[in-house]
Amino acid sequence: MATAAITAEREHYLNKEYGIRSWLLTTDHKRIALLYLASITFFFFIGGFFALLIRLELLTPAGDLVQADTYNKLFTMHGQIMVFFFLIPSIPAVLGNFLVPLMIGAKDLAFPRINLLSWYLYIIAGVLMFHCIVTGGVDTGWTFYTPFSTAFSNTHVIEAGLSIFVAGFSSILTGLNFVVTIHRMRAPGMTWSRLPLFLWAMYATSIIQLLGTPVLAVTLVLVVCERAFHLGIFDPTRGGDPLLFQHLFWFYSHPAVYIMILPSMGVVAEIVPCFSRKRIFGYKFVAMSSIAIAVFGFLVWAHHMFVAGISLYSAMIFSALSYLVAVPSAVKVFNWTATMYKGSISFTTPMLYAFGFVGLFTMGGLTGLFLAALGINVHVTDTYFVIAHFHYIMVGGAVMGYMAGIHFWWPKISGRMYPEAWGRLAALIVFLGFNLTFFPQFILGYLGMPRRYWQYPPEFQVLNVLSTAGSTILAVGYVLPMVYFLWSMRYGKIADDNPWGAAGLEWKTASPPPTFNFDETPEVTWEAYNYEEIPAPAEVALER
Amino acid sequence: MSEHIVSSKLYIGIWAALMVLTVVTARVATIDLGPFNTVVALVIATSKALLVILFFMHVKYASEKLTKMVIVSSIFWLLILLFLSLADYSTRRVG
Amino acid sequence: MSDSPIAVGQHGPELRHHFASVEQQRDAASLGMWLFLATEIMFFGGMFCAYLIYRMNYFNEFAAGSRSLDLKWGTINTMVLICSSLTVALGVRAAQMGKRKLLVVLLLLTLVFGLAFLGIKGIEWYDKYKEHHIPGQSFNADDLVRDYPQIHIDQQHEQIYFSLYFAMTGLHALHMIIGIGIFAFLTFYAWKGRYTPEYNTPIEIGGLYWHFVDIVWIYLFPLLYLIDRRPLR
């Protein structure tokens, strides 16, 4: 067993250099991943704080905690921060940055200095957004619809728009780095068909980031120019079409939800085989489904606009395409489930989160199909049904996948084990809190409670109270890991190279890895997920 | 990319073609071709773009399929944006 | 220059240590630039989408606005950019052949052409300012209404054309300015002798960017200037 003394002597990426300059000027992808981890966790709690304020206001039917204008700012800031400053960077910028070079056997990403630039762009965007918040925020909704955002809102639309523009640039550069790295820097023997599915997911995510984000960027530029220079592109009095904004906005923002979910799917594809001790079922199908989601995801955006005034003919096209995009996601769910069948399941914390992901994502995804049906959409659009739908995917899906990944790779990242009992407890609290928060919202939406309203008819109160109660439990579930991860960095059990007995190149190097990842460039001669050859951790311990 | 060094004569030839096409497109615009004015203008523009891409940007001599994939994919994605938006606008009732 | 194959142990200072070879580094840089250009296609693409929709709906106003642009300056500017693409392509060739002085001259010429383009664009924008065609409070298209009595022109819709004109040419000009900045750096380092037949990747990928900006203008010219130049009946 490794002792503290031996670990302290071995040089790795955390102890190679100390001091703030060595962190702020690093080009090591692993350190940059940790810089991102700190930053997005900060924004997660700010976004969560806004969520709690929203839920507090909605405890009572009357608008009695804040004024209506303030409430508009609360849900806007919650959405903007969670989408652009937490969810979109989360897995790619933290786990992707850390793992992509390790998983392909490379020393770093293709462009390490651009990687650091990505983080600084994120920070600049974050400073702009933070300044925007403390000077009064924005009240347009995270969707910035015109002409309210261009002509009527009295809030800091330009600053928020510029902030998100810069954050988008950060996202584009990360995606660019991943695509070039995966194409150009794979170790000898690491063919496309041996790539871990996490990398297929990161590749597909990066394609979306590259091709979709620029459209959001130019749209925000147009909104900013319209406010600043009185151009008239979205101004109805000059013949501008508000729907044009929505087309351009959703062309990015729908694929953006796949940026948020695909990486989590990749994480689950790594965790499920490991804790079932089985190869992934249908590797090729899972890999191809990632690409399919990335491509089809660009064809469905106007399903956010069914009742906004698009033609019925185009609504039918987009509805049909929206049904199509669910198919590759379903393929993944079937393949994960088939992987677990007759596997040797361990209910570790990552696996608990993965289970949660599969169930909750399925619910969220199926309710997406309800929304894709034109007849139903007319009734539940802009109600809490939509809010419940996307939170099941974003929180029940994406955030759970993120938590699963952080737990799974924490030994590799920090060289320490987190306390397993607390991990399982937190996972359970998150699952219970999540469902209590958001399941009532499906019912609320179905019964007709509109979204973005700061007061509501009294008959909706009971469900709202349940939802708020759930949100406090959920908050506890998120604070717990913060505490025990920090605790583990000092007091956690020292981790082996491969505490889970997992497949993948990242587990063949030390925990934490040396700065250049591998002592020698690995050569890959085995297929991915070769679990029949890897002993499970308990067996490894017995051998000692 | 490749080490293939293109002759300066070829570059100057492409340049001349581009200049000629520029004059042509400006002139043809003043002739009444009905709805074909737009088509001709876009065909000429695309020809000029292709000359720049294939020769000035070396894509003709690039041995990699990947480069061509990137170019074709990005144009295809732009067309998705244009055509699916058009699917809405061109099928709205007028008035 | 050297005619022996470059072993990994004997590389120049420009090989970054996370790459296994100079070839891998160059291939990575090249793919990176092409992917970046793909994002730029989508970036400009959003504006092309807006243009497409509004031209469909407000053709008369777009035609009138297009006619009010100076065809002479537009054509000259298109030719200026084509010349600059020639000097860039010849410059990459000079770098590949190790001709330092020629490379510097060609890069300087590129900068001259780029600045000429911006100068002419400035003249055109100033003309629009004098004619009150800048969208906003002072916009006035009475001159267009007067000049084209045969077609109905809605002055409010006319502002949409000019909004797009300024947004698209402005974004293009911004990319030109960035390109000029990049090429100023390239010229300086070329003069210092940094680029050789073994290592000229920055020239190559800088050239790709410049050619892309040229291609955007190749489309902007007919779309903005040549909407309807047929003789008026």
Side-chain angles (χ1 to χ4, degrees), chain A residues 327-398:
Chain A
V327 173
S329 298
V331 165
K332 284 182 188 276
V333 172
F334 291 137
N335 281 334
W336 297 323
T337 318
T339 305
M340 293 187 220
Y341 178 66
K342 288 198 176 167
S344 170
I345 313 279
S346 325
F347 291 95
T348 57
T349 307
M351 191 59 160
L352 288 179
Y353 278 112
F355 271 117
F357 176 96
V358 176
L360 298 176
F361 168 74
T362 302
M363 283 180 66
L366 289 176
T367 51
L369 290 174
F370 292 19
L371 288 162
L374 291 176
I376 298 181
N377 189 281
V378 168
H379 293 282
V380 294
T381 244
D382 281 338
T383 68
Y384 265 82
F385 192 89
V386 178
I387 296 190
H389 154 72
F390 67 71
H391 280 94
Y392 262 78
I393 307 207
M394 293 296 117
V395 182

Side-chain angles (χ1 to χ4, degrees), chain A residues 29-30 96-110 181-191 194-196 198-199 503-509 513-526, chain C residues 17-20 24:
Chain A
H29 64 101
K30 299 181 288 300
N97 263 328
F98 197 92
L99 293 168
V100 169
L102 281 167
M103 282 182 167
I104 59 173
K107 290 195 179 116
D108 207 308
L109 290 177
T181 305
I182 294 175
H183 271 285
R184 297 290 193 222
M185 296 178 70
R186 285 169 286 137
M190 175 60 82
T191 59
R194 289 178 180 161
L195 270 184
F198 178 72
L199 290 181
L505 274 179
E506 76 271 25
W507 300 106
K508 291 197 181 305
T509 188
T515 300
F516 291 110
N517 295 340
F518 299 95
D519 294 322
E520 285 169 17
T521 304
E523 193 166 326
V524 178
T525 55
W526 55 90
Chain C
H17 282 116
H18 57 284
F19 285 115
Q24 191 188 39

Side-chain angles (χ1 to χ4, degrees), chain A residues 20-36:
Chain A
I20 199 145
R21 273 181 63 112
S22 75
W23 280 91
L24 293 182
L25 294 177
T26 183
T27 53
D28 179 355
H29 64 101
K30 299 181 288 300
R31 286 193 169 204
I32 294 176
L34 292 185
L35 289 174
Y36 268 110

Side-chain angles (χ1 to χ4, degrees), chain A residues 88-89 92-93 167-168 170-176 178-179 202-215 252 255-256 259 263 298, chain C residues 39:
Chain A
I88 285 179
S170 165
S171 174
I172 288 173
L173 290 179
T174 298
L176 195 147
F178 287 171
V179 173
M202 291 317 308
Y203 186 82
T205 306
S206 301
I207 302 288
I208 305 177
Q209 284 174 296
L210 285 171
L211 292 171
T213 319
V215 177
Y252 163 74
I259 296 177
F298 274 96
Chain C
T39 71

Side-chain angles (χ1 to χ4, degrees), chain A residues 238-323:
Chain A
R238 287 183 270 182
D241 186 7
L243 249 63
L244 177 64
F245 171 84
Q246 293 189 28
H247 274 296
L248 292 174
F249 177 82
W250 286 113
F251 180 85
Y252 163 74
S253 298
H254 186 81
V257 316
Y258 297 112
I259 296 177
M260 298 187 255
I261 199 66
L262 267 172
S264 289
M265 293 172 158
V267 168
V268 169
E270 297 300 318
I271 288 177
V272 167
C274 177
F275 296 110
S276 312
R277 307 311 304 171
K278 260 183 80 186
R279 264 179 202 283
I280 189 90
F281 181 88
Y283 170 93
K284 282 211 182 77
F285 275 89
V286 181
M288 285 300 114
S289 67
S290 294
I291 304 295
I293 289 174
V295 174
F296 294 163
F298 274 96
L299 304 178
V300 301
W301 77 83
H303 66 222
H304 299 268
M305 300 161 61
F306 282 152
V307 297
I310 60 174
S311 75
L312 182 59
Y313 178 70
S314 65
M316 293 196 301
I317 296 178
F318 279 105
S319 175
L321 289 167
S322 301
Y323 274 87

